[in-house]
Amino acid sequence: MSQLKRILVTGGAGFIGSHVADALLAAGFEVAVVDNLSTGRQENVPAGARFYPFDIKSNDAFDLICSWKPHVLVHHAAQMSVRVSVDDPVMDAQENILGSLNLFEAAARAKAEKIIFASTGGAMYGDQAPVPAREQDRAMPECPYGIAKLAVEHYLHFYQREHGIIPIRLRYANVYGPRQNGLGEAGVGGHLYRKISGRGAAGHQWRRSPDQGLCLCGDVVAANLLALEYNQAGIFNIGTGKETDILTIYLRLKEIIGSQQGPVHGPAKPGEQRRSALDSFLAQEKLRWQPQISLIEGLTRTTQSFQERFGSGGKR
Ligand code: NAD
């Protein structure tokens, strides 16, 4: 780990990437963040990181990687809405496939040693997979977002063969935690918080959602740090192995917030898997990763952070 000095984090102004950047700085790495602020916020970028407001598809991002020569690329920037990917698969592929390839081409030229890629577990295995799904189960993504993530995983194998870059693909479950963008399509915690606390533009209705495999962001950050120390190619599910139905999450959040709101169900969203939970046996065995924080503790911490950010009552 001590030989790895410069780390470029894409999406480091977003929810997960900014927490990863925080942890990397705390561990003593030199960190640069590339983020076009399409969903991220500049205030999320840690003060100790260099910040470049570039699009991952741009020549600016390409040139930066070629000149700064990061040892590791930690790639979190993405179009990450399943719904948007269903409505506009071309745009999704431009962001998530071509944007990634622009970075990987530059990383190859800069002789980067490793790429850690934020992939998806929740949208990877499809409805036919066993629950919880293991990495060796067949990937059959149901939506363009998952298909693009799988394609990028395969491209990383090419960059390993052709350029010797170690690829580590972390297939995250549904991640929740502080700084989560409650406006987005993904991110069940932030989404429900907005609705239960009456802040969502969509009123108090929500759709009938699939059972969620949830993972607290702090545990996901820990997986990224462990992946830095792991010097072999890998695909790792990062999840707790448990399914939590959306009503349970709703009831927990309602209890924590002290809301009187009742649930009103709507239809399922197109492209979403009906169930998802990830078996993280390989991550536990190879990365020595273990989820540390219980759902109750995680939801409580997350809700507190939302209340600090938005206030505990009234509209924003
Ligand atoms: P986020 O939207 O908070 O972060 C994504 C960041 O990428 C944002 O800051 C955004 O501004 C930036 N970005 C988007 N397109 C860009 C582009 N073309 N150029 C430069 N920057 C760009 O989302 P997140 O929840 O932090 O997700 C981070 C990564 O983890 C994504 O790759 C996502 O697919 C993956 N992931 C997230 C979850 C989850 O539940 N949140 C689950 C599985 C995988």
Side-chain angles (χ1 to χ4, degrees):
M1 181 133 105
S2 59
Q3 292 161 335
L4 304 172
K5 294 277 188 248
R6 286 186 302 281
I7 304 189
L8 188 115
V9 181
T10 69
F15 162 45
I16 303 171
S18 66
H19 286 291
V20 171
D22 281 343
L24 292 171
L25 284 165
F29 294 104
E30 204 181 336
V31 175
V33 164
V34 167
D35 194 306
N36 69 357
L37 302 180
S38 53
T39 57
R41 296 142 62 104
Q42 192 162 346
E43 70 206 53
N44 288 343
V45 179
R50 299 161 184 243
F51 175 57
Y52 300 93
F54 300 157
D55 194 291
I56 56 168
K57 304 185 292 303
S58 68
N59 291 338
D60 286 336
F62 186 94
D63 293 344
L64 171 71
I65 293 173
C66 290
S67 58
W68 197 58
K69 298 193 190 315
H71 296 97
V72 180
L73 174 66
V74 180
H75 180 28
H76 279 78
Q79 181 308 103
M80 51 127 6
S81 162
V82 166
R83 171 104 66 95
V84 168
S85 84
V86 169
D87 290 345
D88 194 347
V90 175
M91 185 275 262
D92 182 77
Q94 278 162 345
E95 295 293 314
N96 289 348
I97 300 181
L98 296 183
S100 297
L101 291 183
N102 188 44
L103 302 171
F104 300 167
E105 278 296 297
R109 198 172 292 189
K111 304 208 179 311
E113 294 163 17
K114 183 184 287 186
I115 296 174
I116 299 173
F117 174 55
S119 188
T120 176
M124 182 61 71
Y125 294 99
D127 284 329
Q128 306 309 317
V131 179
R134 303 159 306 167
E135 293 85 349
Q136 57 267 43
D137 289 325
R138 188 160 175 221
M140 282 291 286
E142 308 282 346
C143 63
Y145 167 78
I147 294 166
K149 289 284 187 188
L150 181 60
V152 172
E153 289 192 1
H154 286 308
Y155 275 112
L156 282 170
H157 178 64
F158 162 77
Y159 283 93
Q160 180 187 22
R161 280 180 65 107
E162 199 62 23
H163 300 283
I165 303 176
I166 299 169
I168 301 188
R169 302 85 157 181
L170 300 177
R171 292 181 174 173
Y172 301 155
N174 203 313
V175 186
Y176 70 101
R179 288 186 209 154
Q180 184 162 28
N181 180 354
L183 294 165
E185 292 292 323
V188 69
H191 225 45
L192 283 183
Y193 175 76
R194 287 182 62 79
K195 293 187 181 206
I196 293 169
S197 61
R199 290 163 208 283
H204 306 140
Q205 272 202 348
W206 56 81
R207 291 168 186 277
R208 185 173 299 283
S209 295
D211 285 354
Q212 303 281 340
L214 287 172
C215 193
L216 187 65
C217 191
D219 284 330
V220 168
V221 170
N224 277 265
L225 290 183
L226 291 166
L228 272 177
E229 296 177 52
Y230 187 75
N231 283 323
Q232 290 175 49
I235 295 179
F236 300 110
N237 281 343
I238 302 299
T240 61
K242 295 183 192 130
E243 278 184 294
T244 310
D245 72 273
I246 209 80
L247 192 62
T248 303
I249 302 167
Y250 158 77
L251 290 172
R252 291 291 177 207
L253 276 175
K254 190 168 136 100
E255 201 176 291
I256 296 164
I257 293 168
S259 163
Q260 301 304 313
Q261 301 263 4
V264 182
H265 294 292
K269 284 192 259 182
E272 263 189 350
Q273 271 182 223
R274 304 272 67 79
R275 297 175 66 189
S276 91
L278 303 176
D279 180 329
S280 60
F281 174 79
L282 275 184
Q284 294 181 28
E285 190 187 62
K286 306 267 185 200
L287 296 181
R288 304 272 170 224
W289 177 81
Q290 278 279 357
Q292 301 289 334
I293 298 152
S294 72
L295 181 65
I296 300 298
E297 174 65 22
L299 283 178
T300 305
R301 287 189 201 178
T302 305
T303 306
Q304 281 164 354
S305 82
F306 286 145
Q307 285 172 332
E308 279 162 24
R309 189 163 139 199
F310 301 124
S312 51
K315 303 263 181 211
R316 200 158 29 143

